[in-house]
Amino acid sequence: MRLSGLQRDVLALYRQCLRECRKKPEASRDNFRVFARTEFEKNIKVDKRDFGAIEFLLRKGRRQLDMYASPGVKDIR
């Protein structure tokens, strides 16, 4: 199955989130992983042809990733 450009972008963002989880303290990694998964699952019903919404969610997700990837953030609830 071939993926569209936006689908590849979404998967890349998800993989990047999981990679960042590995950089967090071991005690809080699961919290970050669960948070990332629930954020993606919240938007699973977005129509794949709604490019504007998907692009907005990608921008929002990248901003959140940048914020949570900072070394000062140790845990998320």
Side-chain angles (χ1 to χ4, degrees), residues 43-71:
N43 299 300
I44 203 162
K45 297 285 186 194
V46 174
D47 185 15
K48 65 182 177 182
R49 292 171 299 225
D50 191 353
F51 304 121
I54 295 169
E55 288 172 352
F56 168 77
L57 290 168
L58 279 169
R59 285 191 304 273
K60 178 182 171 190
R62 288 182 187 123
R63 280 194 310 269
Q64 281 184 317
L65 178 62
D66 288 342
M67 184 174 60
Y68 292 129
S70 74

Side-chain angles (χ1 to χ4, degrees), residues 4-72:
S4 73
L6 280 177
Q7 288 171 323
R8 283 194 302 266
D9 290 346
V10 170
L11 289 174
L13 178 61
Y14 187 68
R15 284 192 306 269
Q16 195 174 5
C17 289
L18 295 180
R19 282 189 207 106
E20 287 297 325
C21 289
R22 287 188 234 136
K23 297 177 184 177
K24 296 300 177 181
E26 193 169 335
S28 62
R29 284 182 192 159
D30 284 340
N31 295 341
F32 282 98
R33 196 173 300 115
V34 167
F35 177 77
R37 184 174 178 93
T38 55
E39 286 297 306
F40 277 85
E41 285 178 346
K42 272 195 245 180
N43 299 300
I44 203 162
K45 297 285 186 194
V46 174
D47 185 15
K48 65 182 177 182
R49 292 171 299 225
D50 191 353
F51 304 121
I54 295 169
E55 288 172 352
F56 168 77
L57 290 168
L58 279 169
R59 285 191 304 273
K60 178 182 171 190
R62 288 182 187 123
R63 280 194 310 269
Q64 281 184 317
L65 178 62
D66 288 342
M67 184 174 60
Y68 292 129
S70 74

